[in-house]
Tab-separated table of all heavy atoms in Angstrom:
chain	number	residue	atom	x	y	z
A	287	LEU	N	-19.939	-29.310	-27.653
A	287	LEU	CA	-20.004	-28.275	-28.696
A	287	LEU	C	-19.166	-28.735	-29.909
A	287	LEU	O	-19.681	-28.438	-31.046
A	287	LEU	CB	-19.419	-27.032	-28.089
A	287	LEU	CG	-19.287	-25.783	-29.114
A	287	LEU	CD1	-20.685	-25.441	-29.548
A	287	LEU	CD2	-18.499	-24.654	-28.414
A	288	ARG	N	-18.093	-29.362	-29.762
A	288	ARG	CA	-17.343	-29.880	-30.911
A	288	ARG	C	-18.209	-30.889	-31.715
A	288	ARG	O	-18.182	-30.908	-32.906
A	288	ARG	CB	-16.030	-30.530	-30.525
A	288	ARG	CG	-15.024	-29.525	-30.004
A	288	ARG	CD	-13.616	-30.174	-29.990
A	288	ARG	NE	-13.553	-31.135	-28.863
A	288	ARG	CZ	-13.242	-30.935	-27.658
A	288	ARG	NH1	-12.972	-29.647	-27.215
A	288	ARG	NH2	-13.248	-31.951	-26.787
A	289	ILE	N	-18.985	-31.814	-30.975
A	289	ILE	CA	-19.775	-32.821	-31.651
A	289	ILE	C	-20.870	-32.065	-32.394
A	289	ILE	O	-21.183	-32.355	-33.545
A	289	ILE	CB	-20.386	-33.690	-30.559
A	289	ILE	CG1	-19.285	-34.581	-30.020
A	289	ILE	CG2	-21.503	-34.631	-31.237
A	289	ILE	CD1	-19.771	-35.530	-28.865
A	290	ALA	N	-21.535	-31.085	-31.803
A	290	ALA	CA	-22.577	-30.315	-32.457
A	290	ALA	C	-22.032	-29.502	-33.716
A	290	ALA	O	-22.720	-29.542	-34.759
A	290	ALA	CB	-23.158	-29.309	-31.502
A	291	GLN	N	-20.819	-29.047	-33.603
A	291	GLN	CA	-20.256	-28.364	-34.740
A	291	GLN	C	-19.970	-29.332	-35.876
A	291	GLN	O	-20.106	-29.038	-37.018
A	291	GLN	CB	-19.019	-27.646	-34.372
A	291	GLN	CG	-19.257	-26.421	-33.413
A	291	GLN	CD	-18.028	-25.813	-32.798
A	291	GLN	OE1	-16.989	-26.471	-32.683
A	291	GLN	NE2	-18.076	-24.543	-32.443
A	292	ASN	N	-19.486	-30.514	-35.461
A	292	ASN	CA	-19.161	-31.577	-36.540
A	292	ASN	C	-20.435	-32.026	-37.228
A	292	ASN	O	-20.501	-32.147	-38.396
A	292	ASN	CB	-18.514	-32.743	-35.896
A	292	ASN	CG	-17.065	-32.431	-35.489
A	292	ASN	OD1	-16.429	-31.538	-35.939
A	292	ASN	ND2	-16.479	-33.246	-34.550
A	293	GLN	N	-21.496	-32.185	-36.429
A	293	GLN	CA	-22.800	-32.562	-36.985
A	293	GLN	C	-23.353	-31.504	-37.894
A	293	GLN	O	-23.961	-31.838	-38.977
A	293	GLN	CB	-23.798	-32.869	-35.892
A	293	GLN	CG	-23.464	-34.188	-35.132
A	293	GLN	CD	-24.465	-34.448	-34.085
A	293	GLN	OE1	-25.131	-33.517	-33.519
A	293	GLN	NE2	-24.516	-35.662	-33.610
A	294	LEU	N	-23.067	-30.299	-37.541
A	294	LEU	CA	-23.500	-29.199	-38.495
A	294	LEU	C	-22.679	-29.286	-39.817
A	294	LEU	O	-23.227	-29.097	-40.872
A	294	LEU	CB	-23.300	-27.921	-37.794
A	294	LEU	CG	-23.655	-26.642	-38.602
A	294	LEU	CD1	-25.107	-26.574	-39.058
A	294	LEU	CD2	-23.254	-25.316	-37.841
A	295	ALA	N	-21.439	-29.559	-39.723
A	295	ALA	CA	-20.618	-29.703	-40.927
A	295	ALA	C	-21.013	-30.876	-41.739
A	295	ALA	O	-20.907	-30.870	-42.929
A	295	ALA	CB	-19.170	-29.784	-40.513
A	296	TYR	N	-21.485	-31.937	-41.074
A	296	TYR	CA	-21.882	-33.153	-41.783
A	296	TYR	C	-23.122	-32.919	-42.614
A	296	TYR	O	-23.468	-33.807	-43.440
A	296	TYR	CB	-22.137	-34.298	-40.742
A	296	TYR	CG	-20.930	-34.752	-40.035
A	296	TYR	CD1	-21.052	-35.412	-38.766
A	296	TYR	CD2	-19.629	-34.554	-40.574
A	296	TYR	CE1	-19.910	-35.798	-38.073
A	296	TYR	CE2	-18.553	-35.062	-39.863
A	296	TYR	CZ	-18.609	-35.596	-38.666
A	296	TYR	OH	-17.509	-36.005	-37.948
A	297	THR	N	-23.824	-31.835	-42.465
A	297	THR	CA	-24.999	-31.636	-43.283
A	297	THR	C	-24.602	-31.246	-44.719
A	297	THR	O	-25.559	-31.128	-45.514
A	297	THR	CB	-25.898	-30.471	-42.688
A	297	THR	OG1	-25.134	-29.277	-42.606
A	297	THR	CG2	-26.405	-30.900	-41.235
A	298	GLU	N	-23.333	-31.068	-44.912
A	298	GLU	CA	-22.833	-30.819	-46.346
A	298	GLU	C	-22.008	-31.995	-46.784
A	298	GLU	O	-21.062	-32.325	-46.159
A	298	GLU	CB	-22.067	-29.549	-46.411
A	298	GLU	CG	-21.657	-29.183	-47.834
A	298	GLU	CD	-20.916	-27.838	-47.880
A	298	GLU	OE1	-21.605	-26.822	-47.741
A	298	GLU	OE2	-19.694	-27.875	-48.196
A	299	LEU	N	-22.484	-32.616	-47.834
A	299	LEU	CA	-21.741	-33.834	-48.362
A	299	LEU	C	-20.708	-33.417	-49.374
A	299	LEU	O	-21.019	-32.763	-50.299
A	299	LEU	CB	-22.796	-34.778	-48.981
A	299	LEU	CG	-22.281	-36.146	-49.427
A	299	LEU	CD1	-21.824	-36.959	-48.132
A	299	LEU	CD2	-23.373	-36.933	-50.052
A	300	GLN	N	-19.507	-33.910	-49.087
A	300	GLN	CA	-18.404	-33.608	-50.030
A	300	GLN	C	-17.807	-34.809	-50.622
A	300	GLN	O	-17.842	-35.930	-50.039
A	300	GLN	CB	-17.312	-32.805	-49.222
A	300	GLN	CG	-17.726	-31.440	-48.686
A	300	GLN	CD	-16.639	-30.765	-47.936
A	300	GLN	OE1	-15.600	-31.300	-47.641
A	300	GLN	NE2	-16.860	-29.493	-47.672
A	301	ALA	N	-17.200	-34.682	-51.875
A	301	ALA	CA	-16.569	-35.794	-52.472
A	301	ALA	C	-15.392	-36.246	-51.828
A	301	ALA	O	-14.458	-35.444	-51.554
A	301	ALA	CB	-16.282	-35.423	-53.971
A	302	PRO	N	-15.249	-37.535	-51.485
A	302	PRO	CA	-13.990	-38.023	-50.857
A	302	PRO	C	-12.798	-38.157	-51.823
A	302	PRO	O	-11.633	-38.084	-51.312
A	302	PRO	CB	-14.502	-39.395	-50.270
A	302	PRO	CG	-15.465	-39.816	-51.229
A	302	PRO	CD	-16.160	-38.653	-51.714
A	303	ASP	N	-13.003	-38.302	-53.144
A	303	ASP	CA	-12.004	-38.497	-54.066
A	303	ASP	C	-12.418	-37.859	-55.393
A	303	ASP	O	-13.616	-37.682	-55.612
A	303	ASP	CB	-11.576	-39.986	-54.257
A	303	ASP	CG	-10.987	-40.528	-53.021
A	303	ASP	OD1	-9.954	-40.167	-52.626
A	303	ASP	OD2	-11.664	-41.448	-52.408
A	304	ASP	N	-11.417	-37.811	-56.262
A	304	ASP	CA	-11.799	-37.448	-57.693
A	304	ASP	C	-12.483	-38.678	-58.330
A	304	ASP	O	-12.146	-39.787	-58.059
A	304	ASP	CB	-10.566	-37.107	-58.463
A	304	ASP	CG	-9.803	-35.863	-57.939
A	304	ASP	OD1	-10.425	-35.114	-57.135
A	304	ASP	OD2	-8.674	-35.630	-58.371
A	305	GLY	N	-13.415	-38.402	-59.201
A	305	GLY	CA	-14.095	-39.586	-59.848
A	305	GLY	C	-15.308	-39.154	-60.625
A	305	GLY	O	-15.465	-37.986	-60.970
A	306	ILE	N	-16.113	-40.131	-61.001
A	306	ILE	CA	-17.292	-39.947	-61.804
A	306	ILE	C	-18.484	-40.457	-61.036
A	306	ILE	O	-18.493	-41.594	-60.387
A	306	ILE	CB	-17.157	-40.671	-63.160
A	306	ILE	CG1	-16.016	-40.081	-63.975
A	306	ILE	CG2	-18.490	-40.532	-63.960
A	306	ILE	CD1	-15.804	-40.861	-65.303
A	307	VAL	N	-19.569	-39.690	-60.976
A	307	VAL	CA	-20.821	-40.121	-60.341
A	307	VAL	C	-21.512	-41.197	-61.167
A	307	VAL	O	-21.855	-40.988	-62.280
A	307	VAL	CB	-21.813	-38.900	-60.119
A	307	VAL	CG1	-23.099	-39.358	-59.546
A	307	VAL	CG2	-21.132	-37.813	-59.327
A	308	THR	N	-21.633	-42.327	-60.658
A	308	THR	CA	-22.176	-43.530	-61.382
A	308	THR	C	-23.618	-43.809	-60.953
A	308	THR	O	-24.323	-44.610	-61.619
A	308	THR	CB	-21.310	-44.728	-61.281
A	308	THR	OG1	-20.932	-44.908	-59.885
A	308	THR	CG2	-20.011	-44.545	-62.036
A	309	ALA	N	-24.032	-43.290	-59.816
A	309	ALA	CA	-25.411	-43.553	-59.330
A	309	ALA	C	-25.815	-42.511	-58.291
A	309	ALA	O	-24.981	-41.910	-57.593
A	309	ALA	CB	-25.549	-44.946	-58.815
A	310	THR	N	-27.117	-42.277	-58.174
A	310	THR	CA	-27.654	-41.427	-57.122
A	310	THR	C	-28.690	-42.165	-56.329
A	310	THR	O	-29.402	-43.090	-56.987
A	310	THR	CB	-28.267	-40.149	-57.657
A	310	THR	OG1	-29.310	-40.491	-58.568
A	310	THR	CG2	-27.233	-39.306	-58.408
A	311	GLY	N	-28.792	-41.894	-55.030
A	311	GLY	CA	-29.702	-42.753	-54.221
A	311	GLY	C	-30.784	-41.933	-53.540
A	311	GLY	O	-31.661	-42.472	-52.832
A	312	ALA	N	-30.832	-40.636	-53.636
A	312	ALA	CA	-31.836	-39.795	-53.010
A	312	ALA	C	-32.011	-38.500	-53.828
A	312	ALA	O	-31.114	-37.983	-54.475
A	312	ALA	CB	-31.438	-39.456	-51.589
A	313	ASP	N	-33.244	-37.940	-53.677
A	313	ASP	CA	-33.595	-36.651	-54.451
A	313	ASP	C	-33.924	-35.699	-53.379
A	313	ASP	O	-34.324	-35.976	-52.233
A	313	ASP	CB	-34.745	-36.902	-55.344
A	313	ASP	CG	-34.369	-37.845	-56.490
A	313	ASP	OD1	-33.293	-37.714	-57.082
A	313	ASP	OD2	-35.230	-38.741	-56.852
A	314	PRO	N	-33.860	-34.353	-53.706
A	314	PRO	CA	-34.202	-33.257	-52.809
A	314	PRO	C	-35.604	-33.429	-52.237
A	314	PRO	O	-36.533	-33.759	-53.006
A	314	PRO	CB	-34.025	-32.023	-53.603
A	314	PRO	CG	-32.934	-32.356	-54.652
A	314	PRO	CD	-33.215	-33.830	-54.965
A	315	GLY	N	-35.746	-33.170	-51.010
A	315	GLY	CA	-37.061	-33.355	-50.414
A	315	GLY	C	-37.177	-34.573	-49.597
A	315	GLY	O	-38.139	-34.794	-48.720
A	316	GLN	N	-36.351	-35.572	-49.917
A	316	GLN	CA	-36.415	-36.870	-49.281
A	316	GLN	C	-35.643	-36.863	-47.870
A	316	GLN	O	-34.697	-36.288	-47.813
A	316	GLN	CB	-35.774	-37.905	-50.169
A	316	GLN	CG	-35.812	-39.337	-49.671
A	316	GLN	CD	-35.213	-40.278	-50.663
A	316	GLN	OE1	-35.029	-39.971	-51.889
A	316	GLN	NE2	-34.890	-41.492	-50.211
A	317	VAL	N	-36.237	-37.533	-46.856
A	317	VAL	CA	-35.529	-37.692	-45.562
A	317	VAL	C	-34.691	-38.887	-45.684
A	317	VAL	O	-35.173	-39.996	-46.088
A	317	VAL	CB	-36.577	-37.821	-44.502
A	317	VAL	CG1	-35.855	-38.056	-43.160
A	317	VAL	CG2	-37.441	-36.564	-44.374
A	318	VAL	N	-33.371	-38.722	-45.418
A	318	VAL	CA	-32.392	-39.733	-45.513
A	318	VAL	C	-31.836	-40.039	-44.116
A	318	VAL	O	-31.766	-39.206	-43.205
A	318	VAL	CB	-31.254	-39.373	-46.414
A	318	VAL	CG1	-31.762	-39.219	-47.895
A	318	VAL	CG2	-30.563	-38.161	-45.974
A	319	ALA	N	-31.384	-41.361	-43.927
A	319	ALA	CA	-30.832	-41.717	-42.638
A	319	ALA	C	-29.333	-41.589	-42.745
A	319	ALA	O	-28.722	-41.552	-43.843
A	319	ALA	CB	-31.203	-43.211	-42.380
A	320	ALA	N	-28.767	-41.549	-41.540
A	320	ALA	CA	-27.236	-41.539	-41.557
A	320	ALA	C	-26.722	-42.774	-42.181
A	320	ALA	O	-27.111	-43.904	-41.938
A	320	ALA	CB	-26.873	-41.365	-40.075
A	321	GLY	N	-25.807	-42.582	-43.118
A	321	GLY	CA	-25.146	-43.699	-43.779
A	321	GLY	C	-25.796	-44.146	-45.107
A	321	GLY	O	-25.258	-44.958	-45.847
A	322	GLN	N	-26.999	-43.620	-45.318
A	322	GLN	CA	-27.722	-43.998	-46.584
A	322	GLN	C	-26.957	-43.473	-47.740
A	322	GLN	O	-26.520	-42.368	-47.806
A	322	GLN	CB	-29.119	-43.524	-46.528
A	322	GLN	CG	-29.936	-43.847	-47.723
A	322	GLN	CD	-31.396	-43.274	-47.626
A	322	GLN	OE1	-31.849	-42.993	-46.559
A	322	GLN	NE2	-31.996	-43.067	-48.812
A	323	MET	N	-26.913	-44.309	-48.850
A	323	MET	CA	-26.215	-43.882	-50.017
A	323	MET	C	-26.939	-42.768	-50.716
A	323	MET	O	-28.136	-42.975	-51.092
A	323	MET	CB	-25.987	-45.091	-50.967
A	323	MET	CG	-25.054	-44.856	-52.181
A	323	MET	SD	-25.855	-43.969	-53.647
A	323	MET	CE	-26.731	-45.397	-54.311
A	324	VAL	N	-26.305	-41.687	-51.013
A	324	VAL	CA	-26.820	-40.607	-51.701
A	324	VAL	C	-26.174	-40.445	-53.101
A	324	VAL	O	-26.821	-40.195	-54.050
A	324	VAL	CB	-26.750	-39.291	-50.861
A	324	VAL	CG1	-27.306	-38.080	-51.647
A	324	VAL	CG2	-27.450	-39.425	-49.523
A	325	ILE	N	-24.909	-40.540	-53.099
A	325	ILE	CA	-24.094	-40.479	-54.331
A	325	ILE	C	-23.134	-41.594	-54.431
A	325	ILE	O	-22.494	-41.950	-53.407
A	325	ILE	CB	-23.274	-39.084	-54.370
A	325	ILE	CG1	-24.280	-37.903	-54.194
A	325	ILE	CG2	-22.508	-38.989	-55.670
A	325	ILE	CD1	-25.132	-37.675	-55.350
A	326	GLU	N	-23.025	-42.273	-55.576
A	326	GLU	CA	-22.016	-43.215	-55.804
A	326	GLU	C	-20.915	-42.687	-56.672
A	326	GLU	O	-21.300	-42.277	-57.775
A	326	GLU	CB	-22.613	-44.560	-56.362
A	326	GLU	CG	-21.609	-45.642	-56.563
A	326	GLU	CD	-22.228	-46.882	-57.229
A	326	GLU	OE1	-22.321	-46.855	-58.501
A	326	GLU	OE2	-22.652	-47.837	-56.562
A	327	ILE	N	-19.635	-42.692	-56.279
A	327	ILE	CA	-18.555	-42.203	-56.964
A	327	ILE	C	-17.590	-43.323	-57.378
A	327	ILE	O	-17.153	-44.072	-56.471
A	327	ILE	CB	-17.836	-41.123	-56.228
A	327	ILE	CG1	-18.821	-39.968	-55.891
A	327	ILE	CG2	-16.675	-40.622	-56.926
A	327	ILE	CD1	-18.216	-38.863	-55.060
A	328	SER	N	-17.259	-43.411	-58.671
A	328	SER	CA	-16.264	-44.381	-59.133
A	328	SER	C	-15.000	-43.626	-59.494
A	328	SER	O	-15.070	-42.753	-60.359
A	328	SER	CB	-16.814	-45.158	-60.344
A	328	SER	OG	-17.972	-45.899	-59.967
A	329	ARG	N	-13.894	-44.019	-58.929
A	329	ARG	CA	-12.603	-43.385	-59.222
A	329	ARG	C	-12.267	-43.775	-60.652
A	329	ARG	O	-12.381	-44.996	-61.084
A	329	ARG	CB	-11.533	-43.806	-58.271
A	329	ARG	CG	-11.777	-43.227	-56.948
A	329	ARG	CD	-10.727	-43.657	-55.887
A	329	ARG	NE	-9.312	-43.554	-56.434
A	329	ARG	CZ	-8.274	-43.812	-55.633
A	329	ARG	NH1	-8.428	-44.275	-54.423
A	329	ARG	NH2	-7.087	-43.648	-56.203
């Protein structure tokens, strides 16, 4: 149950640090794999 709850929380991507978005790797509607770059953030 804890794993399932964590996976549910993982469906929302949050910024790990303050920074500036320097690149994007996926658009809405696209199927992405686990670990695939979606947002690139430069501190």
Side-chain angles (χ1 to χ4, degrees):
L287 179 60
R288 288 193 295 270
I289 292 174
Q291 291 171 338
N292 289 339
Q293 289 179 337
L294 177 61
Y296 294 155
T297 59
E298 184 175 290
L299 188 63
Q300 297 180 345
D303 295 292
D304 297 348
I306 297 175
V307 177
T308 49
T310 59
D313 295 319
Q316 182 177 343
V317 176
V318 298
Q322 178 181 338
M323 190 275 283
V324 178
I325 304 290
E326 183 183 81
I327 299 177
S328 297
R329 287 176 53 176

